[in-house]
């Protein structure tokens, strides 16, 4: 959950941009073309990103004019000057950057040395765009905990040294698009914020103070592959330290900064889902946001973010957005600090106004947010309530979309699909961490593991249509069209367990009677929950269960099936059930959307959506439990004992 602050205020903000602004037509003097392809790529990128000028800390000969530490020191001096403050007040310095001038020591220590500053606590955050927010959070936490009264957060970037033409000589001036791309996107600069525990007026704004209400950061690095990196080869197979020399690493392209732009749409998708969660949990109200500072690397992404917000019914009007990308360029971790500083220097603020900041980081996918509020100097302090934390669980290199894309939602369903997608992302990520799925992903999944899975799964799928039919029978007259649709779906699913049991036997399964198999505790819990809900009047929440169950078959199964096939070497007809649901559940999901629209027309959107969302959340938790118990080997019931109840939570990929 967000980290709330009750006693942290922003005193002043500053920035340092090296040299004169460099317009697009003069870029070649600093970032020279590599080959014939360079000019075409440059025209394309500059036409899309909206950047008109930027700053470089190198000259036209490629000679460094300011080190990265000097950029940061320049921003700190500007920040102190604007606030009329002295460096001696600062007892904590937190820096954020993708890299300083040295591999070690830490960047914050190098900045402290550049400033010839007094002894103090330092923290160096190494990251990409969100590293600036991390520095702010570190400084703010030091104040909130009472360890410091005044702290400085600074972020600085100097990628221009990586883009010089000479850097590509070892590769014959040839490189991949992902490396080409960033040469026309990134530039140099630094920003700094002075934070304190008092209630001073904001520099240059008598009578007003600016309170940091909270910071929220969440990384999805376990869910997605590396998107932006420096230090790996193009195929990410080797790191720069794995080569015999720096020259070999450079020749192999391991010292080229890259970004896989094919992954970028997923970055904004997760960012908006996280934003929707902040709104849902009461941390931010879009209607109350007066100023939205969004760090986007290219103006091409403005309509993407805008559309995703609109689909979720969480829009912030475009006239409230503010950015300096066009004339300051994309300075990575420094961008949000430079943006906030220039915004405060040029805008007129009023008490009660809120400033909401959003920073997506593409490195390996991260989203960061901050909320600040303008107060009158004589205003009473208002505590920020804390909320229960939702644990974050990482994922892996597979990109698995939710069953329905909220961006393509039919009219009126955007908010529902956005919240369901948030539940899905959390569920899918947790499933990906279970021992069973880890075995499959890590190629440790052997035939005995597969048979063990099937022995617990077959009895769960058996009679899987029962709870759907029971739910359809519990629907009242206004829902008869929905009941008919569910009956059709249940009819298609009722014999699936036979297909799965045949697959099990073809794979070498030795249990001959289904009745000798039993569900695991997670399957029992899921079964009991769905049957209990199906027996209630008008159980429309079951559509939330179908969303998770069918989504598992249509999204997770196709990602796992190639790995299972490659590892087990079984005949193709031993995977009929998995193949069937990987394809057929797409049709089922389309039918699901029709069913939701039927319910909304009868029940009303707010009440229907809440029931569907709540059931989806409960089903995801129970389905996860079922996955977790797979690897805890289940004993078969002896043939002479009574058979276990085989009515199970089926429907789709169970």
């Amino acid at each position: 959950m967000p980290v709330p602050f009750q006693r942290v205020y922003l005193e002043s903000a500053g920035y340092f941009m090296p040299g004169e602004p460099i317009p697009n037509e003069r870029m070649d003097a600093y970032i020279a073309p590599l080959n014939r392809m360079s000019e075409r790529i440059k025209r394309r990128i500059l036409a899309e990103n909206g950047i008109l000028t930027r700053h470089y800390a190198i000259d036209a000969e490629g000679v460094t004019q300011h080190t990265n530490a000097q950029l940061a020191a320049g921003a700190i001096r500007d920040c102190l000057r604007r606030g009329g403050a002295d460096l001696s007040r600062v007892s904590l310095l937190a820096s954020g950057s993708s890299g300083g001038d040295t591999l070690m020591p830490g960047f914050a220590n190098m900045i402290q040395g550049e400033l010839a500053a007094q002894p103090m606590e330092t923290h160096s955050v190494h990251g990409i765009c969100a590293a600036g927010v991390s520095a702010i959070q570190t400084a703010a936490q030091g104040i909130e905990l009472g360890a410091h009264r005044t702290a400085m957060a600074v972020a600085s970037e100097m990628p221009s040294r990586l883009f010089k033409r000479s850097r590509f000589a070892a590769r014959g001036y040839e490189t991949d698009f992902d490396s080409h791309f960033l040469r026309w996107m990134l530039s140099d600069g630094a920003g700094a914020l002075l934070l304190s525990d008092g209630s001073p007026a904001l520099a240059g704004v008598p009578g007003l103070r600016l309170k940091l209400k909270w910071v929220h950061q969440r990384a999805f690095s376990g869910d997605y592959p590396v998107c932006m990196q420096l230090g790996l080869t193009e195929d990410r197979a080797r790191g720069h330290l794995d080569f015999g020399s720096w020259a070999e690493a450079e020749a192999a392209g391991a010292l080229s900064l890259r970004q896989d732009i094919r992954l970028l749409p997923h970055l904004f998708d997760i960012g908006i889902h996280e934003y929707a969660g902040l709104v849902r949990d009461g941390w931010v109200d879009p209607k109350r946001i007066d100023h939205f500072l969004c760090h986007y690397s290219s103006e091409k992404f403005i309509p993407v973010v805008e559309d995703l917000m609109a689909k979720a019914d969480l829009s912030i009007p475009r006239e409230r957005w503010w950015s300096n990308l066009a004339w300051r360029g994309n300075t990575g971790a420094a961008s949000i600090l430079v943006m906030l500083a220039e915004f405060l220097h040029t805008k007129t603020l009023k008490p009660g106004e809120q400033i909401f900041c959003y920073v997506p980081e593409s490195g390996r996918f991260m989203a960061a947010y901050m909320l600040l509020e303008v107060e009158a100097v004589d205003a009473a302090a208002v505590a920020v309530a804390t909320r229960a934390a939702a644990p974050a669980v990482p994922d892996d290199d597979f990109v698995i979309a939710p069953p329905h894309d909220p961006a393509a939602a039919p009219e009126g369903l955007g908010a529902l699909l956005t919240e369901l997608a948030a539940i899905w992302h959390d569920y899918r990520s947790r499933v990906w961490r279970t021992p069973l799925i880890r075995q499959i992903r890590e190629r440790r999944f052997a035939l005995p593991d597969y048979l063990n899975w099937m022995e617990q799964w077959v009895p769960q799928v058996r009679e899987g249509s029962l709870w759907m039919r029971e739910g359809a029978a519990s629907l009242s007259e206004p829902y008869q069209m929905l009941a008919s649709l569910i009956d059709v779906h249940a009819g298609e699913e009722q014999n699936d367990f036979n297909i799965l049991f045949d697959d099990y036997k073809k794979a070498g399964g030795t249990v001959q009677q289904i009745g000798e198999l039993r569900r695991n505790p997670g399957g029992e819990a899921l079964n009991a929950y769905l049957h209990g809900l199906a027996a209630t009047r008008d159980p429309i929440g079951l559509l939330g269960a179908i969303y998770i169950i069918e989504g598992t078959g249509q999204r997770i199964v196709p990602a796992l099936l190639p790995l299972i096939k490659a590892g087990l070497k079984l005949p193709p007809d031993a995977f009929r059930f998995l193949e069937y649901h990987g394809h057929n559940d797409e049709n089922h999901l389309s039918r699901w959307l029709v069913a939701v629209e039927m319910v909304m027309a009868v029940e009303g959107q707010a009440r229907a959506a809440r029931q569907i969302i709540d059931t989806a959340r409960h089903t995801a938790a129970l389905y996860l439990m079922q996955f977790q118990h797979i690897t805890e080997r289940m004993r078969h019931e002896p043939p002479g004992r009574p058979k276990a109840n085989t009515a199970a939570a089926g429907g789709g990929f169970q």
Side-chain angles (χ1 to χ4, degrees):
M1 73 174 188
V3 178
F5 300 103
Q6 300 180 17
R7 55 199 295 262
V8 179
Y9 292 85
L10 195 159
E11 278 196 38
S12 61
Y15 58 92
F16 182 81
M17 310 305 293
E20 60 180 334
I22 306 300
N24 292 348
E25 55 271 19
R26 291 182 54 205
M27 287 185 73
D28 285 358
Y30 297 82
I31 310 298
L34 301 180
N35 50 40
R36 288 180 298 176
M37 188 172 66
S38 295
E39 184 63 29
R40 185 170 71 253
I41 294 175
K42 182 182 75 169
R43 286 197 304 268
R44 172 186 165 186
I45 300 306
L46 293 178
E48 293 179 346
N49 67 23
I51 300 174
L52 303 177
T53 61
R54 77 281 295 144
H55 295 256
Y56 294 126
I58 58 174
D59 63 15
E61 302 300 319
V63 178
T64 298
Q65 301 299 298
H66 303 274
T67 66
N68 204 9
Q70 288 170 344
L71 297 182
I76 290 172
R77 293 188 182 102
D78 183 59
C79 177
L80 293 170
R81 178 185 61 80
R82 291 178 183 274
D86 191 86
L87 180 61
S88 61
R89 286 180 53 203
V90 177
S91 59
L92 168 61
L93 172 63
S95 69
S97 180
S98 61
D101 306 296
T102 60
L103 296 178
M104 51 178 93
F107 189 40
N109 299 86
M110 298 301 289
I111 299 168
Q112 181 188 14
E114 181 65 35
L115 292 166
Q118 72 280 4
M120 63 176 66
E121 183 177 346
T122 60
H123 289 272
S124 302
V125 178
H126 180 74
I128 310 183
C129 298
V133 178
S134 297
I136 295 170
Q137 180 175 325
T138 299
Q141 286 176 316
I143 293 171
E144 187 73 14
L145 292 171
H148 301 274
R149 298 207 61 190
T150 306
M152 181 70 71
V154 64
S156 184
E157 298 284 22
M158 192 181 170
S160 61
R161 291 180 291 196
L162 294 169
F163 298 151
K164 294 185 291 188
R165 191 171 189 272
S166 58
R167 290 288 184 189
F168 299 86
R171 305 194 74 192
Y173 303 104
E174 295 294 335
T175 190
D176 49 279
F177 176 83
D178 291 352
S179 180
H180 249 306
F181 168 74
L182 289 174
R183 301 182 78 228
W184 317 111
M185 295 290 291
L186 301 176
S187 52
D188 307 339
L193 303 181
L194 181 64
L195 305 176
S196 72
D197 66 349
S199 53
L202 181 64
V205 191
L208 297 181
R209 64 190 182 192
L210 187 58
K211 181 178 183 178
L212 178 62
K213 293 179 72 69
W214 54 258
V215 174
H216 177 61
Q217 299 187 81
R218 200 172 190 197
F220 298 82
S221 304
D223 295 9
Y224 297 92
V226 173
C227 178
M228 181 175 173
Q229 57 90 4
L230 170 65
L232 298 175
T233 53
E234 182 182 355
D235 61 4
R236 306 174 189 144
R238 297 180 71 187
H240 65 288
L241 294 176
D242 298 323
F243 289 88
S245 66
W246 293 111
E248 291 178 44
E250 190 167 35
L255 299 181
S256 295
L257 182 61
R258 292 184 174 84
Q259 184 175 56
D260 186 346
I261 64 172
R262 294 168 290 278
L263 293 172
L264 290 179
H266 300 289
L267 175 62
F268 292 103
D269 182 47
I270 63 171
I272 296 304
H273 289 317
E274 198 69 16
Y275 162 62
L278 292 170
V279 175
R280 181 191 64 234
D281 294 340
W283 289 98
V284 62
D285 180 357
K287 297 183 180 64
R288 284 210 57 203
I289 300 303
D290 301 283
H291 308 285
F292 180 41
L293 276 58
C294 178
H295 167 61
Y296 40 80
S297 59
S298 170
E299 289 187 353
K300 175 184 178 181
F301 296 121
I302 294 176
V304 176
V305 176
E306 212 169 13
D307 185 59
L308 286 170
M309 285 181 157
K311 292 289 187 182
D313 293 332
L314 300 174
S315 294
I316 298 173
R318 186 72 179 88
E319 60 270 18
R320 299 181 189 174
W321 293 37
W322 195 89
S323 172
N324 57 4
L325 176 71
W327 62 92
R328 297 298 183 196
N330 179 359
T331 53
S335 287
I336 195 64
L337 286 84
V338 173
M339 194 186 310
L340 184 57
E342 191 164 11
F343 170 83
L344 295 174
H345 300 163
T346 58
K347 303 295 287 188
T348 301
L349 301 175
K350 300 176 183 177
E353 289 188 334
Q354 290 191 344
I355 303 169
F356 182 50
C357 303
Y358 166 42
V359 180
E361 176 180 302
S362 64
R364 194 156 183 174
F365 285 15
M366 185 170 177
Y369 312 81
M370 297 188 297
L371 184 67
L372 302 100
E373 185 168 329
V374 183
E375 298 178 348
V377 169
D378 57 354
V382 178
V384 179
T386 60
R387 294 161 174 80
V393 181
D395 207 331
D396 196 33
D397 287 1
F398 290 92
V399 177
I400 303 178
H404 287 285
D405 182 2
E411 185 176 356
L413 297 186
L416 170 63
L417 292 186
T418 296
E419 192 153 359
L420 285 174
I423 294 170
W424 168 264
H425 281 304
D426 182 69
Y427 159 73
R428 176 265 301 153
S429 186
R430 292 171 185 271
V431 167
W432 224 241
R433 305 275 70 74
T434 59
L436 171 70
I437 306 305
R438 290 191 70 87
Q439 282 183 327
I440 297 172
R441 287 168 35 228
E442 295 169 5
R443 277 66 170 181
R444 296 184 291 105
F445 190 66
L447 184 58
D449 301 307
Y450 179 68
L451 296 177
N452 172 62
W453 182 14
M454 295 301 104
E455 287 168 1
Q456 298 172 60
W457 197 17
V458 171
Q460 182 169 319
V461 175
R462 186 184 184 189
E463 299 184 24
S465 59
L466 182 61
W467 63 264
M468 285 190 284
R469 285 208 164 103
E470 189 174 354
S474 298
L475 293 171
S476 58
E477 181 60 34
Y479 294 103
Q480 286 311 297
M481 288 184 64
L482 175 62
S484 298
L485 188 64
I486 292 175
D487 278 334
V488 170
H489 184 73
E492 293 177 355
E493 305 259 327
Q494 64 186 0
N495 291 316
D496 284 354
F497 75 98
N498 283 322
I499 300 174
L500 183 58
F501 192 48
D502 285 344
D503 289 349
Y504 163 76
K505 288 187 289 186
K506 287 176 182 175
T510 58
V511 178
Q512 296 302 311
Q513 300 297 323
I514 290 181
E516 296 178 20
L517 303 175
R518 53 190 266 191
R519 297 182 296 275
N520 67 43
E524 292 287 354
L526 178 62
N527 177 61
Y529 171 67
L530 293 177
H531 276 285
L533 183 60
T536 63
R537 179 179 174 83
D538 294 333
I540 59 176
L542 289 173
L543 290 174
I546 294 174
Y547 175 91
I548 295 296
I549 293 169
E550 299 288 357
T552 302
Q554 204 277 322
R555 293 290 188 256
I556 294 179
V557 170
L560 296 175
L561 187 55
L563 299 178
I564 295 172
K565 285 182 172 181
L568 297 184
K569 308 299 183 184
L570 292 171
D573 61 355
F575 301 105
R576 289 185 304 153
F577 181 83
L578 298 180
E579 292 275 15
Y580 163 76
H581 278 284
H583 299 297
N584 204 49
D585 282 353
E586 184 73 54
N587 299 325
H588 294 171
L589 286 172
S590 299
R591 185 183 293 156
W592 178 88
L593 208 55
V594 173
V596 171
E597 290 178 314
M598 288 180 179
V599 168
M600 293 294 198
V602 175
E603 187 70 19
Q605 291 194 3
R607 185 170 179 271
R610 181 45 48 198
Q611 292 183 61
I612 293 170
I613 288 165
D614 288 346
T615 306
R617 184 173 287 110
H618 296 323
T619 302
L622 294 170
Y623 213 119
L624 174 65
M625 186 191 303
Q626 179 260 142
F627 269 114
Q628 290 169 331
H629 277 279
I630 292 293
T631 49
E632 298 179 12
R633 303 275 175 173
M634 303 289 291
R635 294 177 58 191
H636 306 319
E637 293 181 359
R641 291 179 57 186
K643 296 179 182 178
N645 175 21
T646 53
F653 179 74
Q654 290 296 312

